[in-house]
């Protein structure tokens, strides 16, 4: 599967994060559980991390372009 960093950003073949590209651990072939609650918790956790990081990146970019 895809390789992702701690912010759920997809990594390129050289191990660098691809700006603006995020993937959930389920898509990336990461964490799996034998119960649906564990799967849902994992998906929600990594989706929140990705969304939070993407929002911070967008705000930083917007502030930089306004200066």
């Amino acid at each position: 599967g895809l390789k992702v960093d701690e912010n759920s950003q997809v990594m390129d073949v050289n191990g660098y994060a691809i700006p603006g590209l995020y993937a959930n651990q389920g898509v990336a072939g990461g964490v799996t559980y034998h119960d649906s609650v564990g799967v849902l918790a994992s998906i929600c956790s990594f989706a929140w991390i990705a969304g939070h990081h993407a929002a911070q990146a967008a705000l930083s970019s917007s502030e930089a372009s306004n200066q």
Side-chain angles (χ1 to χ4, degrees):
L2 300 172
K3 291 184 181 181
V4 296
D5 66 9
E6 67 277 0
N7 296 312
S8 296
Q9 283 189 279
V10 176
M11 310 300 286
D12 67 15
V13 295
N14 297 313
Y16 296 103
I18 301 171
L21 185 58
Y22 295 85
N24 188 292
Q25 290 289 27
V27 173
V31 182
T32 58
Y33 298 95
H34 296 290
D35 64 277
S36 58
V37 174
V39 170
L40 182 58
S42 174
I43 289 169
C44 291
S45 296
F46 285 104
W48 186 89
I49 291 168
H52 182 73
H53 189 266
Q56 286 182 325
L59 288 173
S60 295
S61 176
S62 175
E63 290 173 359
S65 66
N66 288 332
Q67 293 180 358

